[in-house]
Amino acid sequence: MGDMLHDLSAAELGNAYREGSLSPVEVTRSVLDHVARWESHLGATYLLRPEAAIEQAGASEARWRRGEALSPLDGVPTTIKENIATAGDPLPAGTAAVTLRAAAGDAPPAARLKEAGLVVISKTTMPDYGMLSSGLSSFHTLARNPWDLSLTPGGSSAGAGAAAAAGYGPLHIGTDIGGSLRLPASWCGIFTLKPSLGRIPIDPPYMGRAAGPMTRTVGDSALMMAVLSKPDARDSMNLPPQDIEWPAFDVGPEHVRGLRIGLLLEAGCGLPVDPEILAAVNQAARLFERAGAIVEPMRPFMSQAMLDGMDHLWRMRSYVDLSALPATQRAKVLPYIRQWAESAATFDGEHVFRAFSQFHATRVAAVEACAPFDYVISPVSPNMPARAEDPSPTNDPLRPLEHIGFTVPYNMSEQPAASVNCGYSTAGLPIGLQIAGKRFDDLGVLQVSRAFEQIRGAQRPWPQPPAD
């Protein structure tokens, strides 16, 4: 088992530490060795510091020996997305345009992971300002998909998605404002939960912005939620403290019996859905039906006007931010991002107001459409992953969000939504199923995801690093 320690789940590692059959130091060394075999191909890490990780693992090992483990996850390897502040480390936000300054402290997700004794292997890469569904960055190495190195892992939690699929330890955390957890999860074949807004405190908070776990299994994400969902006053959108029984995620397939599940196969905007993705999601719906769920088709509730409105408001936000930079720094931003943002220069006040109003229109439409159902299933993305070098699936800065029609509504409605692998393309690429629940029903989404994890059939082996 020694050579495969990087493949063990967080639950397995916690049990092994408690029994004394494994130590955090040997596990961390195994993970670091595995990262070394992969990383020149993937470009998933930022601030990879093996010596610091071994030191943290040694401290954890001593705590387990004294019977003073900080949590069931003490000593388990993790990575943290670059834009989640860690004390003393710079936050480039994926772009060479940022002046690097050390963060004064840990943002809430990083603080919770450290308080629980997790071993931070590395931070993970992201694109410029987190505004791309790819791993293309003017600061970081280009991130690639471990299933096919010519393709993107997705984004903006690009490095995290690649790291989870490649086995850089079991636990990873990313962020999501329109699909940045779920898109890389779908394209990398892993599991993620974008929680209800405020369930995981984050700093700085922003409309629709959520942090979430990225793992190979539903169970490991549930373990992370138990740590990450603790309150933090720095998040003005933080939900009231709630004692959620996260271990109750572990249900059987019978859990879905009688549930009313909406099946959404068209987003109502953006790119058409790839036939192979449609086939995989339809097969997932049949599996739910065989398990006793009541699956009913849904009409699309998004519109192109909603998607374009959100796009235009984000363009103006970025235009304002980039306009504040000195010309020499602004020139370092990816040309795609510059062109996208600068297209907002002619927007007048009325245009921006009407664009902003589409955020609330999206929220209302999503809540109304989901109301008749216990859960809604759909594709995560309408398309398979693009080339690694492409900033977006359309490769067009004036049509940049055509792939987020299924994901972005749940950011605006504040509903929890997961991505769980539901099949593979003929080329062997994973395909994600989105499972969305009502606002605050994070545990319920985990439970339905866990049930599906058991009825979906055997999964293909995880990708292995190329032979040197």
Side-chain angles (χ1 to χ4, degrees):
M1 187 171 70
D3 292 337
M4 303 300 289
L5 298 184
H6 58 270
D7 276 331
L8 295 180
S9 70
E12 290 170 324
L13 290 177
N15 289 335
Y17 295 162
R18 186 165 49 253
E19 295 166 357
S21 58
L22 287 175
S23 79
V25 171
E26 65 179 313
V27 169
T28 299
R29 290 191 187 280
S30 174
V31 169
L32 289 169
D33 288 346
H34 189 65
V35 171
R37 289 190 289 271
W38 257 123
E39 184 57 13
S40 64
H41 306 284
L42 283 191
T45 66
Y46 170 59
L47 301 179
L48 175 65
R49 290 177 289 212
E51 297 82 5
I54 294 296
E55 184 178 350
Q56 294 169 52
S60 172
E61 189 168 315
R63 290 192 294 271
W64 279 105
R65 285 177 177 166
R66 296 194 305 266
E68 297 174 357
L70 298 175
S71 78
L73 296 179
D74 199 333
V76 175
T78 189
T79 70
I80 298 173
K81 187 177 177 181
E82 181 246 278
N83 65 344
I84 297 173
T86 46
D89 297 328
L91 275 79
T95 179
V98 167
T99 300
L100 297 182
R101 297 185 182 87
D106 294 319
R112 300 295 89 78
L113 294 175
K114 290 182 180 181
E115 290 162 4
L118 280 80
V119 174
V120 180
I121 295 291
S122 178
K123 300 197 78 173
T124 50
T125 56
M126 59 181 280
D128 285 52
Y129 298 105
M131 290 308 298
L132 298 177
S133 297
S134 75
L136 184 63
S137 165
S138 60
F139 180 85
H140 297 296
T141 303
L142 176 66
R144 296 180 179 273
N145 192 318
W147 292 90
D148 182 336
L149 295 172
S150 71
L151 302 178
T152 183
S156 64
S157 302
Y168 287 24
L171 304 181
H172 311 269
I173 185 168
T175 61
D176 187 315
I177 201 171
S180 290
L181 287 163
R182 288 156 289 163
L183 291 163
S186 174
W187 294 334
C188 292
I190 63 168
F191 178 79
T192 192
L193 174 68
K194 182 211 73 68
S196 299
L197 187 75
R199 178 68 71 206
I200 295 176
I202 196 166
D203 183 33
Y206 186 83
M207 177 176 59
R209 185 177 189 231
M214 303 179 76
T215 62
R216 287 181 170 184
T217 67
V218 177
D220 278 357
S221 280
L223 286 170
M224 288 190 84
M225 289 301 297
V227 170
L228 293 167
S229 60
K230 295 176 181 177
D232 194 300
R234 288 175 288 174
D235 187 345
S236 58
M237 301 179 186
N238 191 188
L239 294 177
Q242 188 176 353
D243 187 15
I244 295 174
E245 190 66 24
W246 296 109
F249 86 92
D250 196 11
V251 299
E254 69 281 355
H255 177 78
V256 304
R257 189 174 298 127
L259 290 180
R260 191 175 179 193
I261 295 178
L263 173 61
L264 182 67
L265 295 175
E266 295 179 51
C269 58
L271 296 171
V273 181
D274 183 289
E276 290 194 290
I277 295 174
L278 272 180
V281 173
N282 272 312
Q283 174 61 15
R286 288 191 288 270
L287 292 175
F288 273 114
E289 287 182 318
R290 289 176 196 166
I294 302 160
V295 179
E296 302 176 23
M298 291 175 64
R299 293 179 178 176
F301 58 85
M302 282 286 288
S303 70
Q304 193 66 40
M306 293 174 185
L307 190 64
D308 290 345
M310 289 185 276
D311 172 26
H312 286 198
L313 190 281
W314 283 331
R315 291 189 202 196
M316 178 56 76
R317 181 190 70 171
S318 295
Y319 176 66
V320 171
D321 289 344
L322 295 190
S323 296
L325 295 175
T328 53
Q329 285 179 261
R330 189 162 60 246
K332 296 177 181 178
V333 177
L334 282 176
Y336 181 99
I337 294 288
R338 290 204 313 272
Q339 186 177 347
W340 170 73
E342 288 166 0
S343 69
T346 59
F347 293 173
D348 61 18
E350 179 180 349
H351 185 94
V352 174
F353 169 77
R354 292 189 183 279
F356 182 74
S357 70
Q358 295 303 317
F359 286 81
H360 187 67
T362 300
R363 178 191 184 107
V364 170
V367 171
E368 181 180 5
C370 295
F373 305 101
D374 297 306
Y375 299 93
V376 170
I377 61 173
S378 73
V380 172
S381 166
N383 59 286
M384 301 303 295
R387 292 191 324 133
E389 295 82 5
D390 290 348
S392 75
T394 61
N395 205 13
D396 181 353
L398 301 184
R399 294 177 58 239
L401 305 184
E402 301 295 291
H403 56 292
I404 69 169
F406 288 108
T407 51
V408 71
Y410 301 118
N411 294 82
M412 300 313 137
S413 64
E414 305 182 12
Q415 295 170 249
S419 175
V420 59
N421 193 57
C422 69
Y424 301 87
S425 71
T426 52
L429 299 173
I431 296 170
L433 175 74
Q434 183 168 240
I435 302 175
K438 297 188 190 305
R439 192 176 174 210
F440 311 130
D441 189 21
D442 305 78
L443 179 58
V445 171
L446 287 176
Q447 290 172 328
V448 174
S449 299
R450 173 59 181 148
F452 182 73
E453 200 174 39
Q454 296 167 79
I455 64 176
R456 68 184 175 181
Q459 298 293 283
R460 299 189 183 186
W462 293 102
Q464 297 301 313
D468 290 327

